[in-house]
Amino acid sequence: MPHTKVIEQLKENLQIAYRQAIDADAKLDELKKAGHGKFTSIFTAEQGFMVSSNRFLPYVQELVDDLTKLQQQSSLDPAALETLVRQLATLLKTLHAFKKQS
C-alpha cells in the first residue's frame, strides 16, 4: 500500500508528541501548583480539535484515535489526512514553543 509510509511517519510523530506531552503536562502541573496556568484549554475549537483540555495528552489521544479510524478505511480520505497532519503540526509546534518557554 502506498500510504503505509505516510501512516508510519504519522505514528512516529505521534510518539514524539506523546513523549513531549508527558513532559509538558508535568510542567503544567508544577505551574498550577505554583498558582499559574489558570487556563481552561490549550487549543481553540477553530484549530480543529474536538477535545478541550488544559493538558496536552488528551489532544495526542484524539489524534491517535483519528489515525486509527483513518487506518481502518479501505483508502485514505485526503481531507481527513490533511486535517490530521495540520493538527499534529499545530500540536508539535505548540509543544516545542512550550518547551522553549519553560
Side-chain angles (χ1 to χ4, degrees):
M1 291 182 141
H3 58 267
T4 305
K5 284 192 180 238
V6 172
I7 298 295
E8 288 306 313
Q9 189 66 47
L10 287 169
K11 284 181 181 178
E12 287 175 24
N13 282 298
L14 280 168
Q15 288 175 343
I16 292 166
Y18 175 75
R19 287 190 291 272
Q20 291 179 355
I22 289 173
D23 293 342
D25 285 353
K27 183 65 177 172
L28 286 170
D29 288 340
E30 290 174 23
L31 289 170
K32 187 170 184 161
K33 285 178 190 166
H36 305 290
K38 298 186 185 301
F39 56 93
T40 57
S41 184
I42 294 173
F43 298 107
T44 64
E46 290 78 33
Q47 290 168 302
F49 289 95
M50 301 302 286
V51 72
S52 177
S53 178
N54 62 356
R55 295 293 179 270
F56 285 99
L57 279 175
Y59 295 102
V60 174
Q61 185 60 54
E62 180 178 328
L63 294 180
V64 168
D65 293 345
D66 289 349
L67 180 59
T68 302
K69 288 178 202 161
L70 201 61
Q71 284 181 269
Q72 293 169 348
Q73 297 174 353
S74 56
S75 63
L76 281 182
D77 174 6
L81 181 61
E82 182 182 334
T83 299
L84 179 68
V85 169
R86 190 173 358 94
Q87 288 173 306
L88 180 56
T90 299
L91 177 64
L92 287 169
K93 186 172 145 185
T94 304
L95 282 164
H96 180 73
F98 181 77
K99 186 176 183 180
K100 285 177 74 173
Q101 294 293 320
S102 44

